[in-house]
Amino acid sequence: MSIEVRNVTKRFGDFVALEDVSVSLPTGQLTALLGPSGGGKSTLLRIIAGLDTADEGTVTIEGTEATNLPARKRNVGFVFQHYAVFKHMTVAKNVAFGLEIRKKPKDEVAARVDELLRLVHLQQFSHRLPSQLSGGQRQRMALARALAVEPKVLLLDEPFGALDAKVRKELREWLRRLHDEVHVTTVFVTHDQEEAMEVSDEIVVINEGRVEQIGSPDDLYDKPANDFVMGFLGEVTRVNGEAVRPHDVDISTAPVLAGAAQGTISRVLRVGFEVRVTVLTDGGEEVTVQLTKAHANALGLHEDQTVWVSPNPGAVPAMSRAV
Amino acid sequence: MASQTVEATRTRDPHPRSTARGPHEDSPAVKWVMRVLVVAYLFFLVAWPTSLVAKNTFANGFQGISDALSDPDVVHALKLSAIVAVAAVLINLVFGVGMALLLVRFDFPGKRVLNALIDVPLSVSPVVVGLALVLVYNGRYGWFGPWLEDQGLQVVFAKPGMIMATAFVALPLVIREVVPVLEDMGDDQEQAARSLGANAWQTFWRITLPGIKWAIVYGVVLCLARSLGEFGAVKVVAGNVGGESTTAPMLVQQKYQNFQQETAYSVSFMLAFAAVLCLIVVALLRPKEGDKK
Ligand SMILES: Nc1ncnc2c1ncn2[C@@H]1O[C@H](COP(=O)(O)OP(=O)(O)O)[C@@H](O)[C@H]1O
Ligand SMILES: [Mg+2]
């Protein structure tokens, strides 16, 4: 295990930001800390980095007991949401900072900076000041700066949170590829479930200072441990009292399935290749069904039609039985 | 704290143009009256008196200045003023930056009290400051003075006291320049430096200091201008030990009372000139600071 967080509790005055949190993160993986804003993700990341200290509990990084180690001795790369660029230094100087602090020889520093700027595609900007870069470029520079010191782990706090949607999408794909290239153990914080599912090997869901679930994106999506995780990772609808995803609801125009709920279509919404159907069941539930255009056309669905809906037997989340 | 400042500046003026059609803009008469008032105010209070000093100084060309500069009392007073001012500025530089860091970056009990205390020198009369220092450091009956004197250090009626008095009076100037810049800067960059392996000193020297550089320069220049001209506090502390402890502003008063107006004007002019020079330096530095943003 690369990072071991054990029984960490953190309070700000009376407010409990983290309560008895334990997480183990394996070496070389890309892990997402996912959860709603204010859940304690940043606090946990900062405690791992040594920028904050836990009130109780321990942190071990690559087998080294780090609980009482100051940030500068943890050899952890940290990338901040608002970049935290050194405003008065050029891009090259920013990246060189950690190496110069470590008193590396000049030619070695120059070579490493050059290599890193290539890695983040900023080689032609090395003499610019950060203020002359776009947000995405600044964040790539901050990433190169953090990677320069060859950290044991790389921690990113909502690294793309301040960027617009398009750049954010580009950068997260790029981060995934970069990670496949560099292989440094990486933890990144996000409140965007799509980002977490798309990029990470493993997701830690954090809510109100507690870990709700740890698992692969598929695990979490298919077998959420509780209602919170299920709701946070994607849309949820209820059929016969059972929580399911809208695309896991079977819909038919005749009562072929035993136990299916009868109802009336109240709305048919076409979004691109997808059709969303709202069904009001006789039991008083409002069920959302998601299906492809072709499927909807084949069934000939229209408003005020009587239909039968039931959870797809192969896709009912385990949680509803297990928990 | 930093984010609050940013928020405040962001939300301060949501409709910057909405008052453009206010009464001042609409009525040229009001505008003119305001202008005349401001100009007259500045003229009668500042420009005219100052220019009269210059006029009297140069009544006989550079004769007045050169006469003054050949008077050993004048030279001594100018030197003493310079030494005291520079020493006070250095002290305020170190403590000012230190206190600003303490106030912005650290939380501790009594912070608000300290914050309020820093403005005391601006609100208390310098004469009171001088008297207070005499009470504490006086060699015969002060609280602390006799002990210091036993150690061979005379504070009151000597240079150390004059430097202390000057430093006290100019204390807030550096702090009040640096604090808002530190708040605005936030501690993100400092945290990044720490996570990259920098210790406290390296972080300060390489990250914090470059960020507050211009605020410090500005504060130091203001502090220097204020220190050169300090009269009340220094006069009380300097006492009546003859020319030894006479600073330039004190000399102006002495010479003026002894009917040596010519010398008084010349020294006054030099003091005013130095102050104006300081302000010009500041004015030249300011736009540079703006460009960098
Ligand atoms: N320095 C602090 N002082 C007081 N409260 C804090 C501080 N930092 C974080 N908090 C509180 O702790 C909670 C968790 O914060 P954070 O870890 O930043 O959440 P997240 O990153 O998941 O959005 C929030 O309610 C926040 O207000
Ligand atoms: Mg956060």
Side-chain angles (χ1 to χ4, degrees):
Chain A
M1 288 291 145
S2 182
I3 304 173
E4 281 278 1
V5 175
R6 259 196 230 113
N7 309 106
V8 162
T9 296
K10 173 75 181 176
R11 292 179 207 91
F12 294 108
D14 290 338
F15 180 79
V16 183
L18 290 176
E19 193 178 349
D20 197 22
V21 167
S22 299
V23 187
S24 313
L25 305 171
T27 308
Q29 273 200 359
L30 207 168
T31 307
L33 297 184
L34 174 68
S37 191
K41 308 178 297 291
S42 297
T43 305
L44 178 57
L45 203 70
R46 292 171 57 81
I47 286 173
I48 296 173
L51 296 172
D52 262 332
T53 47
D55 296 323
E56 288 156 38
T58 58
V59 176
T60 314
I61 299 174
E62 300 255 294
T64 311
E65 163 65 40
T67 315
N68 296 313
L69 224 52
R72 67 189 173 90
K73 292 196 174 148
R74 294 197 186 192
N75 204 13
V76 157
F78 202 99
V79 174
F80 297 79
Q81 178 171 4
H82 297 287
Y83 325 126
V85 297
F86 301 143
K87 285 185 192 157
H88 59 286
M89 296 183 195
T90 62
V91 170
K93 276 283 173 194
N94 262 276
V95 176
F97 186 85
L99 300 168
E100 286 179 352
I101 290 289
R102 284 167 178 71
K103 304 226 169 14
K104 301 273 188 217
K106 270 209 169 74
D107 45 346
E108 193 181 310
V109 172
R112 178 98 180 110
V113 168
D114 192 56
E115 177 193 339
L116 280 157
L117 287 180
R118 257 170 232 290
L119 187 71
V120 300
H121 308 301
L122 287 176
Q123 62 270 40
Q124 70 272 40
F125 298 125
S126 66
H127 295 294
R128 289 214 188 161
L129 283 174
S131 56
Q132 297 166 301
L133 300 181
S134 73
Q137 290 169 334
R138 277 182 220 182
Q139 198 57 300
R140 291 197 326 250
M141 183 197 86
L143 203 58
R145 181 177 72 182
L147 287 172
V149 298
E150 292 176 28
K152 287 186 214 147
V153 295
L154 182 62
L155 308 173
L156 306 103
D157 191 357
E158 310 225 13
F160 314 131
L163 302 169
D164 60 64
K166 189 164 169 289
V167 180
R168 195 156 71 213
K169 228 172 149 83
E170 276 167 23
L171 272 186
R172 72 193 191 209
E173 280 159 24
W174 175 81
L175 174 69
R176 180 67 238 186
R177 272 182 278 128
L178 183 81
H179 181 262
D180 293 341
E181 237 173 280
V182 185
H183 275 307
V184 57
T185 307
T186 304
V187 183
F188 85 105
V189 163
T190 179
H191 61 261
D192 178 346
Q193 42 89 16
E194 197 185 313
E195 187 167 289
M197 307 268 278
E198 195 176 311
V199 175
S200 52
D201 301 311
E202 188 164 73
I203 299 179
V204 179
V205 182
I206 295 184
N207 181 38
E208 292 185 345
R210 275 183 298 260
V211 173
E212 299 279 358
Q213 191 176 2
I214 304 177
S216 71
D218 281 352
D219 273 357
L220 260 60
Y221 193 81
D222 296 336
K223 300 187 208 87
N226 54 40
D227 281 351
F228 174 81
V229 176
M230 176 144 190
F232 198 74
L233 284 190
E235 226 180 311
V236 174
T237 191
R238 283 183 179 275
V239 187
N240 292 338
E242 215 163 5
V244 274
R245 307 243 179 254
H247 57 77
D248 283 338
V249 179
D250 283 342
I251 184 166
S252 57
T253 48
V256 286
L257 292 163
Q262 187 179 349
T264 316
I265 295 181
S266 68
R267 201 156 68 108
V268 179
L269 187 69
R270 290 163 200 280
V271 190
F273 56 85
E274 160 193 322
V275 177
R276 305 174 71 84
V277 180
T278 310
V279 177
L280 289 177
T281 66
D282 297 348
E285 280 177 331
E286 193 183 83
V287 182
T288 309
V289 190
Q290 198 179 353
L291 61 173
T292 63
K293 203 171 205 162
H295 190 188
N297 286 345
L299 292 171
L301 298 180
H302 56 85
E303 280 168 25
D304 297 328
Q305 188 179 10
T306 302
V307 291
W308 284 262
V309 287
S310 62
N312 181 327
V316 179
M319 62 143 290
S320 44
R321 291 172 228 129
V323 180
Chain B
M1 203 162 199
S3 62
Q4 276 171 13
T5 323
V6 175
E7 281 300 313
T9 39
R10 232 186 258 144
T11 53
R12 188 180 298 147
D13 199 359
H15 310 294
R17 292 271 139 232
S18 63
T19 52
R21 301 185 123 260
H24 307 298
E25 256 70 19
D26 282 352
S27 151
V30 172
K31 209 152 92 182
W32 273 105
V33 169
M34 297 288 278
R35 268 189 205 172
V36 168
L37 273 178
V38 168
V39 170
Y41 177 79
L42 284 177
F43 177 77
F44 284 107
L45 214 58
V46 183
W48 194 24
T50 317
S51 70
L52 279 184
V53 169
K55 192 180 156 220
N56 278 303
T57 305
F58 295 107
N60 302 314
F62 281 89
Q63 192 60 42
I65 296 263
S66 73
D67 278 356
L69 284 179
S70 56
D71 180 341
D73 280 357
V74 171
V75 175
H76 184 269
L78 286 173
K79 268 191 194 157
L80 184 62
S81 268
I83 291 170
V84 168
V86 167
V89 165
L90 287 179
I91 291 171
N92 278 341
L93 171 65
V94 173
F95 281 92
V97 173
M99 300 256 273
L101 279 172
L102 201 63
L103 285 173
V104 178
R105 292 288 188 259
F106 297 90
D107 260 324
F108 52 92
K111 182 163 152 171
R112 290 170 59 134
V113 177
L114 181 65
N115 208 347
L117 274 180
I118 284 171
D119 284 332
V120 164
L122 282 185
S123 44
V124 170
S125 162
V127 178
V128 177
V129 172
L131 271 177
L133 286 176
V134 170
L135 280 179
V136 177
Y137 294 103
N138 179 291
R140 267 178 297 150
Y141 53 85
W143 291 357
F144 198 45
W147 182 82
L148 277 178
E149 214 140 283
D150 289 344
Q151 314 301 309
L153 182 69
Q154 196 192 351
V155 176
V156 168
F157 309 135
K159 255 187 231 155
M162 296 161 75
I163 293 171
M164 277 168 76
T166 309
F168 188 119
V169 169
L171 171 87
L173 297 172
V174 173
I175 300 175
R176 290 292 173 231
E177 282 300 319
V178 174
V179 161
V181 177
L182 267 180
E183 281 175 350
D184 215 43
M185 185 174 154
D187 61 354
D188 268 19
Q189 296 183 58
E190 289 160 20
Q191 290 185 16
R194 279 203 286 144
S195 80
L196 287 167
N199 61 30
W201 173 251
Q202 287 167 323
T203 304
F204 172 73
W205 190 251
R206 289 173 183 240
I207 304 299
T208 315
L209 197 57
I212 57 175
K213 184 169 61 181
W214 293 112
I216 292 179
V217 170
Y218 192 60
V220 160
V221 171
L222 281 181
C223 190
L224 186 67
R226 180 78 179 82
S227 302
L228 275 176
E230 179 47 33
F231 175 77
V234 173
K235 188 169 161 75
V236 175
V237 174
N240 276 325
V241 263
E244 254 324 285
S245 60
T246 305
T247 61
M250 286 159 68
L251 188 79
V252 171
Q253 191 214 22
Q254 273 176 24
K255 294 282 179 189
Y256 190 79
Q257 282 173 347
N258 294 341
F259 304 104
Q260 293 170 279
Q261 265 97 341
E262 184 118 313
T263 319
Y265 285 132
S266 300
V267 178
S268 297
F269 176 78
M270 286 185 255
L271 281 174
F273 186 73
V276 169
L277 207 63
C278 286
L279 294 180
I280 290 176
V281 168
V282 166
L284 289 179
L285 289 175
R286 265 269 149 114
K288 247 192 226 157
E289 182 191 9
D291 284 348
K292 291 207 78 177
K293 294 232 159 144

